[in-house]
Amino acid sequence: MTPPDGADPARATPSFPGPPLRGDLAAAKEVELDDDEHSFTAEHVALVVPPVDQEASRHLKRLAAGWGALADFAFADLLLYVALPGHDEGRNRFLVVNQVRPNTGQTLFLDDVVGRTMDDTQRPLVAQAMATGEIVEDVVDSPWLGEQIRITAIPVRFRGRVVAVMAREASLDLARDVSDLASVYLGVFRRLGRMVADGVFPFADEEVVATGGPRVGDGVVLLDEMGRIVFASPTGVSPLRRLGVTRRFMGEHLTDIGAETAATYRAFFNGRPTVEEVEREDVTVVLRCIPLITEQRVDGAVVLLRDVSEMRLRDRALVSKDATIKEIHHRVKNNLQTISSLLRLQGRRLTEPSAKAAIEESVRRIRSIALVHETLSREDGDDVEFGDVVRPLARMVEEGLTSPELPVEFVIEGDAGKLPSPEATSLAVVTTELLQNVVDHAYPPGTLAPGERGRVRIVLSNDAVTLHLAVVDDGAGPAPEFDPETSATLGLSIVRGLASEPEGRMEFSPVSPGSRRPGTRVQLSIPVVSRVEADAKRPPPGGGRSVGL
């Protein structure tokens, strides 16, 4: 396929068409490489990889993302070569920037060859394809591998310019007998390779499947230019049979045999790959239709099929399980609210102030637990965004305990992230107790002057190892005889017990010692994961380097 203006730079320039150097990469001309190909590795790529413009780079990445099917059709390894700037007069070198092995045949390369360089004497066909823009195929001797290999070098054209070469490299010793299936597969590879050379494949845009996309080994159906079936692999017949197709289907359209699918029509009309899931009762088959294009005309298509029935059944089971868990949390929340309502009714009948206060405290504790279950009933999974719990907790305490005579505002700072529901439940109760303790004890009569408001900060942080929660007030501070470790109040007993369960720590300290309102800071530090788990999740130091496009 020629560019719109009719000019083809790759065909018009018979000399080696290495792209011009620009920017810092111009220094690549000065990089001295040892003639020993083993001395060049991926570590050198940042210095000598040739500049490829951003659009061409995306084209090569799309090719590398979808060429697994090409390798399977080719029964051979595919290597992607990019030209390197010349270092010796008249000598061209190429860098292997990507490689894919087939699932349908034996690999030629036991070791990864990405990052290795080849010169035009080792891969003359690659140099020829790069220079002429034509597909070339021949048998060459490989001293490195110690055998003869068949190479098919296919220029990768983008907007009329050859930007790389895709090479099929296969051992003659491992050549398989050409059966009907192998003949069809190799024919499909040649047609796709022609599309690569014409700049049609990979497609700039196409429909994708999120998970469970079909590959060649899952099943292949080949359609002619009229959309009729001309070939079906044995693994391609099985999904069709599971869809209820019982009659002979050679020469028929997929729709005519009962496998109604709009994917093939879209692929033929739009000239772009399409994806569709076809369902028949408990059977689900994913179809990916790739149009085969010659001279800008769709003259056939290859359909990859995969039976994903078990996968979809598992997905539905997980959705059903998630819905059931959400419903359980919703019912637990409702039951806790019912208990809270019953306690409030009981409290209204009491006349003893201490008994009424005890009932009210119990109601707040129950409501704090109910808030966690309410959040879980709305979210997927068993983790809770703790900030969504703290905000209503602070509002509940502010509405229930503050008054015009005791004006206190609550401010939430930071983010605690997501917590497992057991830890979130315990921490919700602890937070409620600490906030209630602040309102009850931090601002005794005379602490706040007329017109002043107390301010309580709830500070949250989570570094994926330890969760930190601090409740900071600007009140009168603790009494000199107060000892949080020996205090017998029920609230602090609950806080100490729940905070110590996950090996947490609790510390009390003044905020501004010596001032009229020194305040108090209660700091909780609770491990989110064990130190061993944290070290396992932490990435290793340094890190390797891979070849980029």
Side-chain angles (χ1 to χ4, degrees):
M1 178 181 294
T2 58
D5 60 4
D8 190 338
R11 300 175 191 273
T13 307
S15 61
F16 177 69
L21 295 175
R22 61 179 182 273
D24 294 339
L25 290 169
K29 277 186 176 181
E30 308 302 327
V31 176
E32 293 296 331
L33 295 178
D34 196 307
D35 288 340
D36 179 11
E37 64 183 31
H38 293 278
S39 67
F40 188 89
T41 68
E43 298 299 322
H44 300 85
V45 172
L47 293 176
V48 300
V49 69
V52 178
D53 64 75
Q54 192 173 19
E55 292 297 323
S57 175
R58 280 198 282 265
H59 184 76
L60 295 180
K61 289 178 180 177
R62 285 195 296 269
L63 175 62
W67 67 347
L70 276 71
D72 291 344
F73 281 125
F75 302 105
D77 297 88
L78 297 182
L79 275 62
L80 189 61
Y81 291 91
V82 173
L84 289 171
H87 299 282
D88 299 318
E89 189 67 29
R91 184 181 181 189
N92 300 320
R93 305 193 74 174
F94 306 93
L95 174 69
V96 180
V97 295
N98 219 319
Q99 169 189 7
V100 63
R101 295 179 172 90
N103 288 328
T104 53
Q106 187 171 344
T107 181
L108 177 65
F109 303 100
L110 298 179
D111 297 323
D112 196 351
V113 296
V114 172
R116 185 180 295 274
T117 57
M118 305 281 185
D119 60 32
D120 50 13
T121 62
Q122 296 168 301
R123 291 295 184 268
L125 300 182
V126 172
Q128 184 179 346
M130 183 72 79
T132 65
E134 298 289 348
I135 298 176
V136 290
E137 181 176 4
D138 204 350
V139 176
V140 300
D141 290 320
S142 175
W144 171 43
L145 294 172
E147 59 178 306
Q148 286 189 320
I149 59 175
R150 179 175 294 277
I151 296 179
T152 304
I154 302 171
V156 180
R157 185 171 278 105
F158 177 71
R159 294 179 180 174
R161 180 168 61 94
V162 177
V163 295
V165 172
M166 180 182 73
R168 173 187 183 269
E169 304 195 5
S171 170
L172 290 183
D173 296 337
L174 299 177
R176 57 192 298 160
D177 296 332
V178 182
S179 61
D180 291 341
L181 181 143
S183 178
V184 171
Y185 280 17
L186 290 171
V188 171
F189 170 73
R190 294 189 187 95
R191 296 171 74 175
L192 291 172
R194 182 72 265 170
M195 291 166 60
V196 172
D198 290 340
V200 179
F201 189 93
F203 298 89
D205 59 285
E206 60 179 278
E207 300 174 13
V208 297
V209 59
T211 57
R215 297 201 61 170
V216 173
D218 296 318
V220 175
V221 172
L222 186 62
L223 309 179
D224 65 10
E225 61 183 359
M226 302 301 295
R228 295 183 294 251
I229 300 173
V230 295
F231 171 81
S233 69
T235 53
V237 173
S238 298
L240 294 177
R241 296 301 186 207
R242 292 210 64 194
L243 287 174
V245 177
T246 57
R247 51 184 278 193
R248 293 176 57 87
F249 45 76
M250 289 300 173
E252 302 284 349
H253 294 86
L254 285 172
T255 302
D256 295 338
I257 61 176
E260 295 88 353
T261 170
T264 55
Y265 290 104
R266 294 199 306 274
F268 273 82
F269 290 147
N270 301 329
R272 292 288 184 270
T274 55
V275 175
E276 184 176 357
E277 283 195 9
V278 181
E279 294 189 14
R280 296 290 184 275
E281 298 179 353
D282 292 334
V283 178
T284 305
V285 174
V286 176
L287 298 93
R288 181 169 185 254
C289 185
I290 306 172
L292 301 174
I293 300 174
T294 304
E295 296 180 352
Q296 301 184 355
R297 185 176 66 88
V298 178
D299 60 357
V302 58
V303 180
L304 306 181
L305 307 94
R306 183 182 183 189
D307 186 347
V308 294
S309 303
E310 292 186 8
M311 185 183 301
R312 294 298 176 260
L313 286 174
R314 288 197 298 270
D315 291 344
R316 294 188 188 102
L318 287 174
V319 170
S320 176
K321 182 180 178 181
D322 286 342
T324 302
I325 292 174
K326 287 183 179 181
E327 179 62 22
I328 291 173
H329 285 300
H330 182 71
R331 294 189 182 188
V332 170
K333 183 262 297 183
N334 289 343
N335 290 339
L336 290 171
Q337 287 180 337
T338 301
I339 296 172
S340 177
S341 299
L342 291 173
L343 286 173
R344 278 199 301 268
L345 288 173
Q346 184 68 34
R348 290 171 187 169
R349 294 176 176 271
L350 298 175
T351 58
E352 173 63 35
S354 60
K356 290 176 69 70
I359 290 292
E360 291 173 359
E361 290 177 3
S362 297
V363 168
R364 281 190 289 272
R365 289 164 188 147
I366 293 171
R367 287 182 62 187
S368 66
I369 299 174
L371 281 171
V372 176
H373 287 281
E374 182 179 5
T375 306
L376 285 168
S377 69
R378 296 193 305 262
E379 298 185 358
D380 294 328
D382 198 34
D383 292 343
V384 180
E385 192 72 46
F386 193 66
D388 295 341
V389 177
V390 171
R391 281 185 288 273
L393 281 179
R395 189 167 57 250
M396 177 183 68
V397 174
E398 187 173 8
E399 293 173 353
L401 296 177
T402 62
S403 64
E405 292 76 22
L406 184 59
V408 179
E409 64 175 345
F410 294 86
V411 179
I412 300 173
E413 302 175 2
D415 182 19
K418 287 196 171 186
L419 298 177
S421 58
E423 285 80 355
T425 302
S426 299
L427 202 56
V429 176
V430 168
T431 304
T432 303
E433 295 298 330
L434 291 177
L435 296 181
Q436 181 172 310
N437 184 73
V438 167
V439 177
D440 289 344
H441 303 289
Y443 302 97
T447 303
L448 297 175
E452 285 186 327
R453 293 176 60 88
R455 191 168 189 266
V456 180
R457 296 163 50 227
I458 305 166
V459 184
L460 304 169
S461 66
N462 188 341
D463 60 5
V465 176
T466 305
L467 181 144
H468 300 281
L469 182 149
V471 176
V472 185
D473 67 72
D474 58 355
E481 67 276 7
F482 173 74
D483 184 355
E485 297 298 327
T486 60
S487 176
T489 62
L490 178 60
L492 280 180
S493 298
I494 292 174
V495 171
R496 284 197 302 267
L498 293 177
S500 62
E501 282 182 4
E503 300 179 356
R505 298 192 314 274
M506 179 175 65
E507 299 174 356
F508 281 71
S509 60
V511 179
S512 303
S515 64
R516 183 176 70 87
R517 287 160 51 186
T520 304
R521 179 185 184 92
V522 183
Q523 176 79 45
L524 286 177
S525 301
I526 301 175
V528 179
V529 295
S530 69
R531 182 63 60 178
V532 174
E533 292 174 319
D535 292 340
K537 291 181 179 180
R538 189 174 292 114
R545 179 182 299 183
S546 59
V547 176
L549 296 176

